[in-house]
Amino acid sequence: MARNKQEEPPMKTDGWMATFSDLMNLLLCFFVLLFAMSSVDTDKWQQLVASFSSNYSILQSGGEGLQEGQLIASGASQLTQIGDYYAQIGLNQDGSEDSNRDALLELEQKEYEESEQMGEKIEQILENKGLESEIEVQVTQTYVSINMKGALLFESASADLTADANRVLTEVAGILKNYEDNRIKIEGYTDNIPINTEKYPSNNELSYARSLAVFYFLTGENGLSSENFDVSGYGERHPIASNDTAEGRAQNRRVEIKIYNSYNSK
């Protein structure tokens, strides 16, 4: 019978050297890291700390968005702030000049300048006719408004033009003939005192009837083309003074004729 072969004893190895080598590598990396940190710029380190000062959330703004051209608390909200900042100084999102914005600003300037010229010309005509105390002229970027008090044009609760109204509107028609190619809007307004008659059930009907009466007089009696006219009645809405006093209600009872400049008549 053959003898069982005896197992050979395990060979002794130098495995501890691999562990020791790994430990030395870790220590070397640790000291390199310490050395690198010791040479970090203090300001940059503070900025890094500040960027994590809001619970490490990029959705919260941890501070001012722009400080000396640097983002201190970067995040989604900061991107919005950058866009707003660029828009304010006339730049695109990438920081380049926004030519569209410059063109828009130039257009707005031209619109307002034309409205101012129209307003000055109309005011001069009204002064020459002695109507500056009866008609108010207002200038905006898009139009010039001729504001006539309702008491000058109509009797109380009526949409029939008075004799004074015929006189004043005849002069106004002469002004409008200079702007027949422009868009012209006639708007009627009342105070907040309710009206309920068979002819005018509410202030809305009364205000529209008054603006319509002015429209018919300008286009029928004075020969203005009706093509570019709009007629509206707003009742007691959009007051320009308080309805708590008689003076304020008198101001709110009015008819406005808005002459739009050429930029806003297309």
Side-chain angles (χ1 to χ4, degrees):
M1 185 173 179
R3 251 192 209 175
N4 290 333
K5 186 177 179 181
Q6 267 188 343
E7 295 183 358
E8 296 182 359
M11 290 183 58
K12 293 184 179 180
T13 63
D14 298 328
W16 63 271
M17 295 183 65
T19 303
F20 181 77
S21 176
D22 290 341
L23 178 62
M24 292 298 100
N25 287 332
L26 290 173
L27 288 174
L28 176 62
C29 292
F30 176 71
F31 284 111
V32 169
L33 179 63
L34 288 179
F35 176 78
M37 292 179 63
S38 66
S39 62
V40 169
D41 185 273
T42 305
D43 294 335
K44 291 183 179 179
W45 175 253
Q46 290 177 351
Q47 294 174 18
L48 177 63
V49 173
S51 67
F52 293 97
S53 63
S54 185
N55 298 326
Y56 303 95
S57 174
I58 65 170
L59 298 180
Q60 301 178 10
S61 56
E64 297 295 330
L66 292 171
Q67 292 184 357
E68 298 180 1
Q70 298 176 346
L71 288 176
I72 304 304
S74 60
S77 62
Q78 302 300 332
L79 297 177
T80 303
Q81 292 183 19
I82 295 175
D84 294 341
Y85 175 74
Y86 281 158
Q88 292 174 5
I89 62 176
L91 300 179
N92 291 313
Q93 293 290 338
D94 58 359
S96 61
E97 292 187 2
D98 188 350
S99 58
N100 292 332
R101 180 177 180 273
D102 292 339
L104 179 61
L105 290 175
E106 183 179 356
L107 175 60
E108 291 175 350
Q109 182 66 25
K110 289 181 178 179
E111 289 176 346
Y112 194 77
E113 288 178 354
E114 182 176 322
S115 292
E116 280 189 324
Q117 294 173 1
M118 292 168 57
E120 291 174 358
K121 183 177 180 180
I122 293 172
E123 286 180 338
Q124 186 62 52
I125 295 174
L126 292 175
E127 288 180 8
N128 295 338
K129 300 292 183 179
L131 297 174
E132 68 277 6
S133 61
E134 298 177 283
I135 298 178
E136 180 184 0
V137 177
Q138 294 180 333
V139 175
T140 73
Q141 179 184 325
T142 56
Y143 60 81
V144 176
S145 177
I146 299 176
N147 185 345
M148 296 168 288
K149 293 181 180 179
L152 175 67
L153 305 178
F154 308 98
E155 298 290 345
S156 178
S158 172
D160 297 327
L161 293 172
T162 64
D164 284 339
N166 292 337
R167 173 182 57 87
V168 171
L169 289 175
T170 298
E171 301 297 343
V172 171
I175 294 174
L176 297 180
K177 286 180 180 178
N178 298 317
Y179 306 101
E180 284 194 278
D181 293 332
N182 295 48
R183 178 189 172 198
I184 300 174
K185 188 174 183 181
I186 303 174
E187 299 176 348
Y189 300 89
T190 67
D191 56 28
N192 68 340
I193 297 178
I195 184 175
N196 186 8
T197 66
E198 184 177 352
K199 194 172 184 179
Y200 307 116
S202 72
N203 284 325
N204 289 327
E205 283 82 5
L206 177 59
S207 63
Y208 182 74
R210 287 179 170 179
S211 61
L212 199 59
V214 172
F215 166 75
Y216 285 144
F217 183 84
L218 294 174
T219 57
E221 300 292 330
N222 291 273
L224 290 173
S225 173
S226 61
E227 183 178 354
N228 296 323
F229 275 86
D230 292 325
V231 180
S232 302
Y234 293 98
E236 62 208 52
R237 300 186 299 276
H238 312 301
I240 58 175
S242 172
N243 279 306
D244 295 334
T245 64
E247 293 79 6
R249 290 191 294 271
Q251 293 183 54
N252 292 330
R253 296 190 297 268
R254 68 196 190 276
V255 172
E256 294 184 5
I257 300 178
K258 295 179 177 177
I259 310 170
Y260 288 78
N261 57 43
S262 62
Y263 295 96
N264 293 277
S265 296
K266 301 174 182 178

